[in-house]
C-alpha cells in the first residue's frame, strides 16, 4: 500500500495485502471500486502530465503525435480501452478520428465527461470491462490502451479475444503496460527500488483487501512471453515490442518510475499488434 493512495485505501477500508488469486468477477469488482475511490487523487497528481487532449503512451513521455503507432487516424473509428479521463480519445478526435472510449470506473468517466466539456471534444463514453466489450464484431478500425485495463483483468486472453473480435481486418491494436520486469522490484523510485524482491515467474496477483478479506485492488502480472502467447492465441499478429528509454532531461517521477530506475531497466512495454 502507498501513501499516494491513502484516501482511496481509507475509503475502501483497505487493511493489507493477501497472497492469493483473484478471479474475473472479483478483479472487476475490486478495480471498479478502487478507481472510483482514487479517481480524484489520481487526476490531481497526474492530470497536468496527461493533459486534457493529449495522447501520452507512458511515464517516459512517448506521445502518439511523434510515434504514430496507430498510423493515420483520420476518419477512422478508434476504440480506447480503459480510457480513464479519456485524454487520448480526445486527442484522437482533435486529429480527425472517430473515437469511442470506455472504462470500468464511473469515477474515471466523471473526469472524462468534465474533460469533454472543457475541451469541446464530445467523445462518446461507455462504462464497461475490457473482457466484456459491448460492441459489435468488426466495428473499429483501430484500438489502443495507454496503461489502461489490461493488467487489471484476470484473463488477459479474454481481453485480447474481445479486442480482436471488434476490430476490422488489418486494424492495429496497440497497448502500453508496466514492463513485466518491474514485477520483481519494489514500487519505489529510489535506491530501494533497485533490489530484486520477488520472482519474475510468480504470477500471483497483487491483491489488497479489507478486514473481511474482500479485494479492494487487484493487479495481475504477466511475463513478456505470457503477453505474446495470449496475443497469438487471440489471432493477432505481433509487429513490435517497444521498450522506451528514459529521456534525457526528464526529471519528473511518476509513482515508481524515475530517472534513477529508468536509466537502468525499462519501465514500460508498448506492444504493437494487428488483426490479420
Amino acid at each position: 500500500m502507498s501513501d499516494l493512495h491513502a484516501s482511496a485505501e481509507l475509503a475502501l477500508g483497505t487493511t493489507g495485502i493477501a497472497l492469493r488469486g483473484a478471479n474475473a468477477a472479483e478483479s472487476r469488482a475490486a478495480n471498479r471500486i478502487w478507481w472510483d475511490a482514487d479517481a480524484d487523487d489520481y487526476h490531481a497528481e497526474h492530470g497536468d502530465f496527461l493533459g486534457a487532449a493529449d495522447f501520452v503512451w507512458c511515464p517516459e513521455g512517448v506521445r502518439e503525435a511523434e510515434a504514430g503507432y496507430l498510423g493515420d487516424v483520420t476518419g477512422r473509428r478508434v476504440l480506447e480501452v480503459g480510457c480513464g479521463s479519456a485524454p487520448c480519445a480526445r486527442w484522437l478526435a482533435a486529429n480527425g478520428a472517430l473515437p469511442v472510449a470506455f472504462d470500468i470506473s464511473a469515477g474515471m468517466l466523471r473526469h472524462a465527461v468534465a474533460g469533454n466539456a472543457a475541451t469541446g471534444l464530445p467523445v462518446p463514453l461507455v462504462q464497461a470491462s475490457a473482457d466484456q466489450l459491448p460492441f459489435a464484431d468488426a466495428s473499429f478500425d483501430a484500438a489502443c490502451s495507454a496503461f489502461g485495463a489490461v493488467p487489471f483483468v484476470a484473463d488477459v486472453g479474454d481481453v485480447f479475444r474481445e479486442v480482436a473480435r471488434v476490430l476490422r481486418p488489418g486494424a492495429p491494436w496497440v497497448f502500453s503496460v508496466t514492463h513485466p520486469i518491474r514485477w520483481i522490484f519494489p514500487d519505489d523510485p529510489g535506491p530501494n527500488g533497485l533490489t530484486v524482491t520477488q520472482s519474475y515467474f510468480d504470477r500471483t496477483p497483487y491483491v489488497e483487501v479489507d478486514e473481511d478479506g474482500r479485494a479492494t485492488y487487484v493487479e495481475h502480472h504477466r511475463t513478456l512471453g505470457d503477453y505474446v502467447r495470449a496475443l497469438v492465441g487471440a489471432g493477432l499478429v505481433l509487429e513490435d515490442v517497444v521498450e522506451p528509454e528514459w529521456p534525457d532531461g526528464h526529471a519528473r517521477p511518476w509513482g515508481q518510475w524515475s530517472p534513477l530506475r529508468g536509466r537502468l531497466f525499462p519501465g514500460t512495454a508498448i506492444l504493437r499488434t494487428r488483426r490479420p
Side-chain angles (χ1 to χ4, degrees):
M1 295 184 291
S2 167
D3 291 341
L4 294 174
H5 307 292
S7 61
E9 291 163 359
L10 180 64
L12 298 176
T14 301
T15 58
I17 299 167
L19 299 176
R20 63 169 176 80
N23 64 23
E26 186 175 35
S27 297
R28 288 188 211 106
N31 285 304
R32 183 180 294 111
I33 62 172
W34 168 262
W35 290 109
D36 283 353
D38 196 51
D40 291 347
D41 287 348
Y42 179 88
H43 286 95
E45 183 180 0
H46 300 302
D48 61 333
F49 179 82
L50 295 172
D54 196 2
F55 197 139
V56 184
W57 280 106
C58 54
E60 290 85 356
V62 177
R63 283 175 160 78
E64 178 62 13
E66 289 81 37
Y69 296 145
L70 297 174
D72 183 3
V73 297
T74 306
R76 302 177 74 81
R77 285 176 52 82
V78 183
L79 179 65
E80 185 180 6
V81 175
C83 66
S85 60
C88 299
R90 285 190 291 275
W91 180 89
L92 289 165
N95 283 271
L98 304 170
V100 175
F102 78 86
D103 201 277
I104 197 170
S105 164
M108 284 292 189
L109 292 174
R110 175 168 48 82
H111 284 271
V113 169
N116 283 357
T119 60
L121 296 167
V123 171
L125 302 169
V126 177
Q127 185 172 14
S129 181
D131 55 350
Q132 298 175 326
L133 298 186
F135 306 110
D137 295 359
S139 53
F140 291 96
D141 301 301
C144 59
S145 182
F147 274 75
V150 173
F152 305 108
V153 176
D155 188 340
V156 76
D158 286 345
V159 177
F160 296 160
R161 284 186 289 272
E162 279 289 86
V163 171
R165 178 183 64 78
V166 302
L167 288 178
R168 294 174 178 139
W173 157 231
V174 184
F175 65 96
S176 59
V177 291
T178 302
H179 198 290
I181 198 66
R182 288 289 175 107
W183 189 256
I184 73 177
F185 299 101
D187 279 355
D188 188 325
N192 291 335
L194 303 180
T195 302
V196 172
T197 57
Q198 65 187 61
S199 169
Y200 178 73
F201 303 104
D202 182 359
R203 275 83 162 184
T204 306
Y206 176 80
V207 181
E208 294 181 0
V209 296
D210 63 17
E211 62 181 6
D212 297 321
R214 181 188 67 153
T216 58
Y217 178 90
V218 177
E219 187 168 351
H220 294 270
H221 167 59
R222 287 102 190 187
T223 67
L224 202 55
D226 292 339
Y227 279 120
V228 172
R229 283 184 290 274
L231 289 164
V232 172
L236 295 158
V237 175
L238 179 64
E239 296 183 331
D240 194 11
V241 178
V242 181
E243 299 166 297
E245 296 186 38
W246 193 268
D248 293 337
H250 183 24
R252 174 175 177 161
W254 173 306
Q256 48 111 338
W257 284 263
S258 65
L260 172 66
R261 284 156 61 95
R263 285 193 295 267
L264 298 174
F265 47 84
T268 297
I270 304 173
L271 289 89
R272 301 179 59 195
T273 78
R274 189 172 299 275
R275 180 180 171 183

